[in-house]
Amino acid sequence: MTITNPLLSVRDLTVSVRDRGVMKPLVSGLSFDLRAGETLAIAGESGSGKSITSLALMGLLPNNVTVTSGQMLLGDTDLAQMSENQMRPLRGAQVAMIFQEPMTSLNPVQTVGTQLIEAIRAHEPVSYGQARAGAIAALRQVRLAEPERRMGQYPHELSGGMRQRVMIAMALALRPALMIADEPTTALDVTVQREVLELLKDLQRETGTAIILITHDMGVVAETADRVVIMQAGQMVEQGLTPDIFAAPRADYTRSLLAAVPRLGAGAARAAPLPPKAQVPVAQLVDVTVHFDIGANFLGRPTHRVHAVEGVSFDIQPSETFGLVGESGCGKSTIAKALAGLVPYEGQIIINSTSLAGLKAQERKDICRDVQMVFQDPMAALDPRMKVGDAVAEPLLIHGVGTARERKERTAELFDHVGLSSDQMNRYPHEFSGGQRQRICIARALALRPRLIICDESVSALDVSVQARVLALLEELKADFGVAYLFISHDMAVVENIVDRLAVMYLGQIVEMGTRDQVFGNPQHPYTQRLLDAVPIPDPTRERTTYLRAASEPPSPMRRIGDPVPRLMLTDIGGGHLIAPEVTA
Amino acid sequence: MAGYLFRRIFQAVLILLGVSFITFVLLYVLPADPVRQIAGRAATAQTVENIRQQLGLDQPFLVQYGRYLGGLIQGDMGRSYLQKTEVASLIASRLPATLLLMAGGIACELLIGLTFGVIAAIYRGRLLDQGLMVTSFVAVSAPQFVVGLLLLYVFAVQLGWFPIGGYGTFEHLVLPSVTLGIMGSGWYSRMMRSSMIEVLRQDYIRTARAKGLTRARVLTRHALPNAILPIIAMIGIDIGIFMGGLVVVESVFGWPGIGQLAWQAIQRVDIPIIMGVTMVSATAIVLGNLLADVITPFIDPRIKMR
């Protein structure tokens, strides 16, 4: 490698927030260099200061946050010394940024074209027609089909992956020297993430733009970055070439971070004794179908029907962890809602050999004791004005279990089980970290000694190290209480590490089902294979074969009324490994 | 679109039917007797009875209501008891003045309210914001007749910039419009402020800034169109509140509109006029709401009419 002057040189950067008159550092003493055409990953868990660093580079820090010392040299200009008016012409033209949430990062009331053209004309004195041509070229460059038509569409008409492509097109339209991508694929499905990462790599080869990739996902780091900076609590822990960091991490924190990353294939090491069959299943779904009618014709009758779940059957044995995987919109969360009695369904759901259909209110309530849920966002799932002890005791109260004193003792016990201390019972949710809050939610779900806990993306919002500990807790509780889990997740690596059996869903139907070893060891359905292939592998030495791109966006589960979905027939290829035929069209 | 409009208009007719019925019931149970008003104090019982029969007020309630509805369908709103003219033509002759005043009032409240709201949101938490919010609070709380008289005293009597009352020129329109709009401007500035603050923290505003747009462009092209969306629905509802204000403002400024007509009619228990004005206002409110709902999808592409 020839030694050239770095494109960007960050020296001893300290960014602080003003909190009641005191400056508290969010990032301190951060230094790194970035050369032209290079990809640098800044990796770390929440609160590590990685996003603040990127906002500081863009000059987009919130009002109460300022760069207190250090330099950010882009060529000869120090971005840290720039006023808002000096910074503005650089933004978008020299330094561009794409954000985590493609769903909310585009203006909902302007067309894609208007927003792209505006970005170009903000910096270049070109006519509307020239800017429009440039915008179409940029959309073509990010491999969006039918770029002319996209120009006239509004953001809500595009899928998440398409919107992120539009964001990338907007960032690259002016050929900036540096592009900052802040968790660009975190909100996307794994196959879409794969496509976007490939795209970023291709574009970098074509344009030579340097990329700073902010991410929490070590798999993404391994597959895309040349070099990596590991951050923790506002400080750099270590930096180096990606293969070196993965092969020989020097810092303890890096080692523990890498150890906590769930890996595909790691589950194989674990001997999974199959729970003996021929028991009464905890839950049994027979031909469950959920439809939502939408649209309205002249008389206000619905015209279309969303086939969210279509003829799904499976059962969950006692003390079993059953996984449900698939991408957004495949119907996995709708199944959870049907099981918990939160959406109307057709077909049969049997819990503890009692069918849910036609139950009276009181009987329904009794069944609820056996099925509890743990949701994705632990902050949203806890009442901010209720003490966490009361939140955990509430299910007991609702079902009239024990006296006040007994409930209190039971709550203390539960806190103990999930690794919290019982003197924390009188605190409020905001006093806890994300992982602790999820523990509280788990304690609440356990309160009634349910036989089945539905975990709907329960660890997805947590940092990897916290995630690993919560997963371990779930395993432990399974052994202690004999509870079964329905584990819903989009993260294949996590699923492989925890489930006994799983079903893969696509467009409301199961396409493959079997034990963990059957599905992960010998995936048969092309969709399962595509899902597994798309998972980023935290191993930079692994050569990735070019990803087989999906031909198109997944079709919509919405159909005209009177046009039913063709049902997939599952065939057993041995040992209970069920496969659907490949869908054509 | 056609189906949507059809259903909405059908709903509107139902609402108007309900309004007419309730108003009719209220007027029927009213202790004041319109016949006494018409006949005068000196009239004999016989005269009173004759007039009552003549007007059909001796009939049972449902018959009276049925007759009224029958007329209404044919566009006949009845005759005024006292002025002996068609209610429809009375209202028609005064409607333009009222519509003009309403337009003036809406223009005033939007102009003042939205401007104040946007400025307050931009300078959120600073002195200017606090000053504007105190002002808007005063505007919301001040009774319209007080505001009207105050404006009259200062700008018409003392300064002589505007005429004291009457109708005809642009100068005549200014004070009544401001009086009518000032209360609404207080509401709108508060709503616009919170809507704008909400929009300014959205991700797409950060995107717009990251594109390197000027601050003015971020505000006008990205923040404003989104912030104004919830306000549009309010304007539809607002027309109802306006009707109440019109009665007061038209009386204070001697503005020859239907508010004044209604005020006089109420004092004299001239039931056909009261009914007529009520029906016209109700229609205006229903149409205003419909208009707001029809406009929204053109500004917000995410909303579809169904």
Side-chain angles (χ1 to χ4, degrees):
Chain A
M1 201 189 289
T2 51
I3 306 289
T4 49
N5 275 341
L7 171 77
L8 174 77
S9 179
V10 172
R11 287 281 154 268
D12 210 23
L13 178 71
T14 299
V15 183
S16 307
V17 61
R18 181 181 298 279
D19 185 21
R20 282 171 239 129
V22 189
M23 298 302 277
K24 281 191 196 159
L26 295 174
V27 173
S28 48
L30 177 65
S31 302
F32 62 84
D33 285 340
L34 178 69
R35 286 174 199 85
E38 190 180 37
T39 301
L40 173 77
I42 301 182
E45 299 186 295
S46 42
S48 64
K50 55 190 196 302
S51 285
I52 286 291
T53 308
S54 65
L55 291 176
L57 284 167
M58 290 295 287
L60 289 177
L61 287 170
N63 281 334
N64 55 345
V65 181
T66 45
V67 174
T68 40
S69 70
Q71 292 178 309
M72 297 180 284
L73 293 167
L74 182 72
D76 296 326
T77 43
D78 185 359
L79 300 181
Q81 300 298 325
M82 298 282 231
S83 69
E84 170 69 20
N85 280 337
Q86 291 170 306
M87 193 66 213
R88 194 194 56 74
L90 295 184
R91 265 186 224 135
Q94 292 292 312
V95 194
M97 186 158 179
I98 53 179
F99 300 96
Q100 174 169 2
E101 275 295 339
M103 304 314 265
T104 55
S105 290
L106 289 165
N107 187 341
V109 304
Q110 282 186 359
T111 60
V112 165
T114 311
Q115 298 186 54
L116 276 164
I117 290 168
E118 178 188 54
I120 294 172
R121 296 191 79 191
H123 297 284
E124 283 176 4
V126 293
S127 71
Y128 181 86
Q130 286 169 309
R132 190 182 148 79
I136 292 173
L139 287 180
R140 192 165 285 129
Q141 197 177 24
V142 295
R143 327 265 192 271
L144 261 181
E146 305 177 79
E148 281 89 358
R149 194 164 74 87
R150 303 290 170 230
M151 292 287 283
Q153 285 183 312
Y154 288 95
H156 72 277
E157 297 173 76
L158 308 179
S159 69
M162 286 157 83
R163 287 188 218 188
Q164 198 61 300
R165 280 166 197 266
V166 170
M167 286 296 292
I168 297 172
M170 203 182 278
L172 288 180
L174 291 156
R175 307 210 163 253
L178 169 63
M179 181 166 80
I180 302 168
D182 187 356
E183 303 271 9
T185 57
T186 306
L188 303 175
D189 277 324
V190 56
T191 56
V192 183
Q193 159 170 301
R194 163 67 40 215
E195 288 166 27
V196 170
L197 290 178
E198 296 278 332
L199 175 71
L200 283 177
K201 265 201 246 177
D202 290 355
L203 291 175
Q204 186 173 38
R205 261 197 299 276
E206 289 165 26
T207 61
T209 300
I211 296 178
I212 293 181
L213 183 77
I214 311 282
T215 184
H216 71 284
D217 187 333
M218 295 309 279
V220 171
V221 171
E223 294 202 354
T224 51
D226 302 314
R227 285 190 307 124
V228 54
V229 171
I230 307 279
M231 288 187 73
Q232 183 198 16
Q235 306 216 319
M236 187 181 73
V237 176
E238 69 176 301
Q239 67 172 308
L241 293 171
T242 309
D244 298 348
I245 297 274
F246 277 79
R250 291 185 301 272
D252 289 342
Y253 176 72
T254 316
R255 265 195 291 279
S256 64
L257 188 66
L258 286 171
V261 175
R263 283 157 209 265
L264 272 183
R270 186 191 60 166
L274 266 185
K277 278 257 181 180
Q279 290 188 52
V280 180
V282 179
Q284 196 176 4
L285 281 79
V286 184
D287 216 15
V288 171
T289 297
V290 181
H291 292 154
F292 304 105
D293 289 342
I294 54 169
N297 63 5
F298 198 71
L299 296 170
R301 295 233 173 83
T303 54
H304 288 77
R305 173 169 280 184
V306 179
H307 296 258
V309 175
E310 193 66 42
V312 164
S313 308
F314 63 82
D315 51 67
I316 303 171
Q317 303 295 328
S319 311
E320 180 185 50
T321 304
F322 188 88
L324 212 48
V325 299
E327 297 187 287
S328 38
C330 74
K332 54 192 195 301
S333 287
T334 309
I335 287 185
K337 284 184 194 151
L339 253 175
L342 300 175
V343 289
Y345 59 89
E346 294 158 35
Q348 283 249 35
I349 295 181
I350 299 161
I351 286 171
N352 280 341
S353 40
T354 316
S355 172
L356 292 191
L359 286 187
K360 293 193 190 69
Q362 183 55 46
E363 295 167 321
R364 260 231 69 99
K365 194 175 157 189
D366 292 342
I367 291 278
C368 283
R369 297 181 62 156
D370 287 331
V371 182
Q372 291 289 314
M373 278 188 93
V374 178
F375 299 94
Q376 173 167 6
D377 182 351
M379 193 63 213
L382 288 168
D383 183 343
R385 284 177 191 79
M386 195 185 234
K387 287 176 186 166
V388 293
D390 295 340
V392 170
E394 200 179 25
L396 299 169
L397 193 68
I398 291 170
H399 289 270
V401 179
T403 62
R405 195 193 165 81
E406 283 165 359
R407 282 197 291 268
K408 198 161 179 182
E409 280 165 13
R410 173 103 180 99
T411 308
E413 241 173 74
L414 286 164
F415 266 70
D416 192 41
H417 277 301
V418 298
L420 294 170
S421 101
S422 50
D423 33 286
Q424 291 171 315
M425 278 164 51
N426 285 325
R427 298 205 196 156
Y428 290 91
H430 69 265
E431 298 174 66
F432 295 88
S433 68
Q436 286 175 322
R437 281 186 216 131
Q438 200 57 298
R439 283 167 193 268
I440 294 163
C441 291
I442 293 170
R444 178 172 61 182
L446 280 172
L448 292 164
R449 300 182 195 278
R451 305 202 48 208
L452 174 67
I453 294 182
I454 302 169
C455 299
D456 190 356
E457 299 279 8
S458 303
V459 297
S460 307
L462 305 175
D463 281 326
V464 277
S465 56
V466 181
Q467 187 180 56
R469 289 197 290 273
V470 171
L471 287 173
L473 171 69
L474 287 176
E475 284 288 346
E476 217 177 281
L477 294 172
K478 183 165 117 175
D480 292 353
F481 290 83
V483 62
Y485 296 113
L486 175 62
F487 194 85
I488 297 172
S489 179
H490 70 282
D491 189 330
M492 299 298 277
V494 167
V495 168
E496 195 196 2
N497 283 300
I498 189 164
V499 304
D500 301 312
R501 285 193 307 137
L502 74 153
V504 181
M505 286 189 72
Y506 180 70
L507 276 181
Q509 304 200 48
I510 291 178
V511 296
E512 183 155 4
M513 179 157 72
T515 63
R516 187 197 63 203
D517 294 345
Q518 284 167 345
V519 176
F520 282 92
N522 182 21
Q524 287 295 314
H525 195 273
Y527 180 69
T528 317
Q529 291 166 354
R530 205 159 77 222
L531 267 185
L532 285 170
D533 192 34
V535 178
I537 306 295
D539 178 6
T541 55
R542 183 173 167 280
E543 277 297 313
R544 171 169 288 280
T545 47
T546 357
Y547 177 65
L548 163 142
R549 291 206 174 100
S552 60
E553 295 281 322
S556 162
M558 185 173 85
R559 284 165 163 260
R560 288 204 151 270
I561 277 184
D563 175 22
V565 179
R567 290 285 176 89
L568 300 175
M569 297 303 294
L570 296 170
T571 42
D572 193 338
I573 60 160
H577 188 178
L578 303 177
I579 314 263
E582 190 174 350
V583 215
T584 48
Chain B
M1 176 78 191
Y4 172 80
L5 276 181
F6 175 80
R7 261 181 294 122
R8 284 299 302 263
I9 290 170
F10 180 68
Q11 282 171 8
V13 171
L14 284 184
I15 292 170
L16 292 179
L17 210 63
V19 169
S20 71
F21 184 76
I22 291 168
T23 321
F24 217 86
V25 169
L26 289 176
L27 291 173
Y28 188 80
V29 299
L30 208 64
D33 184 358
V35 180
R36 284 270 168 217
Q37 291 279 331
I38 299 165
R41 281 171 187 278
T44 60
Q46 184 57 41
T47 325
V48 169
E49 209 40 50
N50 282 346
I51 296 172
R52 194 181 300 281
Q53 270 180 24
Q54 209 184 324
L55 294 176
L57 293 177
D58 54 339
Q59 301 288 325
F61 171 74
L62 281 178
V63 176
Q64 285 189 37
Y65 181 62
R67 274 191 196 162
Y68 184 78
L69 268 191
L72 207 56
I73 288 165
Q74 296 161 34
D76 177 11
M77 301 175 103
R79 268 169 182 281
S80 159
Y81 291 163
L82 295 161
Q83 302 191 32
K84 305 293 179 208
T85 31
E86 288 285 331
V87 171
S89 59
L90 264 177
I91 290 178
S93 69
R94 282 164 171 263
L95 202 56
T98 295
L99 288 180
L100 184 67
L101 182 54
M102 264 176 83
I106 290 181
C108 265
E109 68 177 1
L110 289 181
L111 204 71
I112 303 172
L114 300 191
T115 315
F116 279 22
V118 169
I119 294 174
I122 295 171
Y123 293 94
R124 184 189 179 190
R126 301 207 224 147
L127 205 62
L128 184 56
D129 173 26
Q130 285 161 6
L132 287 175
M133 283 306 106
V134 170
T135 313
S136 78
F137 196 72
V138 172
V140 168
S141 339
Q144 274 168 329
F145 66 91
V146 174
V147 174
L149 291 175
L150 208 68
L151 288 176
L152 262 184
Y153 180 73
V154 175
F155 292 100
V157 178
Q158 292 292 324
L159 296 170
W161 292 357
F162 298 103
I164 290 178
Y167 171 67
T169 66
F170 178 75
E171 278 77 27
H172 286 101
L173 182 63
V174 175
L175 291 184
S177 298
V178 172
T179 311
L180 195 58
I182 225 160
M183 185 161 85
S185 74
W187 285 119
Y188 281 116
S189 63
R190 297 191 149 240
M191 279 188 13
M192 191 64 191
R193 176 180 180 270
S194 53
S195 175
M196 192 76 181
I197 286 172
E198 184 58 36
V199 166
L200 283 175
R201 62 164 88 100
Q202 296 297 314
D203 289 348
Y204 53 80
I205 297 298
R206 189 181 52 184
T207 307
R209 292 187 65 202
K211 279 198 263 188
L213 302 182
T214 56
R215 198 175 155 75
R217 196 172 167 91
V218 172
L219 284 175
T220 53
R221 295 300 303 272
H222 292 275
L224 260 182
N226 280 290
I228 212 146
L229 289 176
I231 311 284
I232 290 172
M234 271 304 291
I235 300 175
I237 299 167
D238 210 36
I239 293 174
I241 303 169
F242 255 77
M243 282 295 167
L246 277 172
V247 175
V248 177
V249 173
E250 287 186 2
S251 300
V252 170
F253 289 91
W255 189 266
I258 59 171
Q260 214 182 34
L261 183 70
W263 176 233
Q264 290 161 0
I266 290 166
Q267 284 175 319
R268 300 180 196 156
V269 206
D270 200 338
I271 289 178
I273 294 185
I274 302 177
M275 273 306 292
V277 172
T278 309
M279 292 312 291
V280 168
S281 339
T283 311
I285 293 167
V286 168
L287 282 182
N289 274 310
L290 182 59
L291 200 66
D293 289 352
V294 171
I295 288 174
T296 314
F298 288 100
I299 304 174
D300 188 346
R302 288 166 298 181
I303 293 173
K304 288 221 178 70
M305 276 180 266
R306 5 189 154 92

